[in-house]
């Protein structure tokens, strides 16, 4: 009797242990499944943000192409005529584009939400985690793009007084003034104007190079995210 009872007790203990192990395994599986699900939610949100970044870059480059075209047309106009009455209307019309700028800034809301929730560890792919962190830590504004903004402002501040004449004021305010006439404008021989136009073109080229590099970086991140979502 004692032997049979002992065997029965051992069997019960083994069954209980197996049950506990199975329960722990199921709990561990459920925990991993929940964490994986959270990871995928964050990655899908980041993926949307990165695709939006690609569209933003396209918009900036489209604006840059238009601005560069207007700058080139201004060079041609100043080259072909020294008569302010001929080139001034073109410059004043183009100034609304040449006097503006467009810069790229990543949409980092999804990534910052993950950081704020202390869930960065949910990204199990270390390469993806590192590259995302590097991308969103980069200062895209205070670099080449900051020079774009500053140079454009300097150009507008320098050029506006130079092109402000009696006809210019009359055109936009309908008022007369005691300013010089349009034929006294000397933009075509102003070295600073040419320098500003040239520097703006160079800055646009530098910004486009930055945007092209960033586009390739985003595409690599999207590939890593897609591979992670499939796994």
């Amino acid at each position: 009797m004692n032997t049979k009872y002992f065997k029965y007790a051992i069997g019960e203990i083994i069954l209980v242990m197996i049950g506990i192990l199975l329960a722990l395994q199921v709990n561990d599986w459920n925990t991993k499944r929940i964490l994986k699900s959270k990871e995928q939610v964050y990655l899908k949100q980041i993926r949307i943000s990165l695709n939006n970044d690609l569209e933003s870059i396209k918009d900036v480059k489209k604006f840059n192409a238009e601005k560069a075209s207007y700058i080139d047309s201004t060079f041609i106009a100043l080259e072909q005529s020294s008569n302010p009455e001929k080139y001034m209307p073109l410059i004043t019309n183009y100034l609304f584009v040449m006097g503006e700028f467009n810069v790229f800034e990543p949409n980092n809301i999804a990534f910052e939400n993950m950081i704020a929730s202390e869930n960065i560890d949910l990204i199990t792919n270390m390469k993806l985690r590192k590259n995302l962190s590097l991308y969103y830590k980069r200062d895209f504004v205070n670099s080449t793009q900051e020079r774009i903004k500053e140079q454009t402002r300097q150009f507008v501040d320098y050029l506006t007084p130079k092109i402000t004449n009696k006809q210019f004021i009359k055109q936009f305010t309908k008022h007369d003034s005691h300013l010089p006439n349009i034929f006294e404008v000397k933009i075509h021989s102003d070295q600073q104007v040419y320098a500003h136009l040239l520097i703006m073109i160079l800055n646009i080229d530098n910004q486009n190079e930055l945007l092209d590099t960033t586009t390739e970086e985003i595409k690599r991140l999207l590939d890593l995210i897609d591979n992670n979502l499939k796994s």
Side-chain angles (χ1 to χ4, degrees):
M1 287 291 297
N2 290 338
T3 302
K4 289 182 179 181
Y5 178 78
F6 179 74
K7 290 180 178 179
Y8 175 79
I10 292 295
E12 286 292 312
I13 292 172
I14 291 173
L15 287 175
V16 170
M17 290 179 64
I18 291 173
I20 293 173
L21 289 173
L22 287 174
L24 289 173
Q25 187 174 6
V26 170
N27 184 63
D28 182 61
W29 180 83
N30 280 331
T31 300
K32 289 180 179 179
R33 180 179 59 82
I34 292 170
L35 292 177
K36 184 66 176 178
S37 177
K38 286 183 177 180
E39 177 194 26
Q40 293 201 341
V41 168
Y42 279 118
L43 288 180
K44 287 176 181 178
Q45 292 174 345
I46 292 172
R47 191 181 190 282
I48 291 173
S49 296
L50 290 172
N51 277 308
N52 288 338
D53 286 350
L54 289 177
E55 292 303 313
S56 296
I57 288 175
K58 288 180 183 178
D59 290 340
V60 175
K61 292 194 69 176
K62 181 179 178 181
F63 172 83
N64 282 350
E66 181 182 22
K67 182 174 179 178
S69 174
Y70 284 176
I71 292 173
D72 188 59
S73 295
T74 301
F75 274 125
I76 293 172
L78 295 176
E79 175 187 350
Q80 291 179 343
S81 176
S82 60
N83 183 353
E85 292 182 285
K86 290 186 177 181
Y87 64 70
M88 274 294 295
L90 179 142
I91 291 178
T92 54
N93 286 335
Y94 286 175
L95 189 59
F96 292 104
V97 174
M98 293 193 299
E100 295 294 331
F101 54 81
N102 199 349
V103 296
F104 165 71
E105 293 184 62
N107 181 347
N108 63 356
I109 295 176
F111 185 78
E112 289 299 324
N113 285 342
M114 184 175 63
I115 295 296
S117 302
E118 298 182 351
N119 284 321
I120 185 67
D121 290 342
L122 288 175
I123 300 179
T124 53
N125 185 313
M126 296 303 295
K127 182 178 179 181
L128 175 57
R129 188 195 304 182
K130 177 183 176 181
N131 288 349
L132 281 173
S133 297
L134 290 173
Y135 175 73
Y136 285 110
K137 284 180 181 178
R138 187 171 297 115
D139 189 347
F140 284 92
V141 178
N142 295 317
S143 57
T144 299
Q145 298 195 115
E146 181 61 33
R147 291 194 293 274
I148 286 276
K149 295 191 290 185
E150 183 60 29
Q151 179 59 38
T152 302
R153 294 187 185 111
Q154 290 176 6
F155 170 70
V156 172
D157 290 344
Y158 181 83
L159 186 65
T160 302
K162 298 286 184 178
I163 65 174
T164 304
N165 55 75
K166 184 186 293 290
Q167 288 79 3
F168 183 83
I169 293 296
K170 184 74 172 179
Q171 177 184 354
F172 289 100
T173 68
K174 308 303 180 186
H175 295 298
D176 289 318
S177 67
H178 298 289
L179 292 171
N181 282 293
I182 190 171
F183 57 81
E184 297 181 56
V185 173
K186 302 296 181 183
I187 299 298
H188 58 278
S189 59
D190 192 311
Q191 189 177 21
Q192 286 293 323
V193 171
Y194 281 89
H196 278 295
L197 293 171
L198 177 60
I199 294 172
M200 283 199 296
I201 283 289
L202 295 175
N203 282 338
I204 287 174
D205 289 342
N206 289 336
Q207 185 186 30
N208 285 341
E209 185 177 344
L210 170 66
L211 296 177
D212 289 340
T213 301
T214 303
T215 296
E216 294 306 313
E217 182 180 2
I218 292 172
K219 288 179 179 179
R220 288 193 294 270
L221 286 172
L222 287 172
D223 286 340
L224 286 171
I225 289 174
D226 287 342
N227 290 335
N228 200 78
L229 290 174
K230 292 175 185 177
S231 63

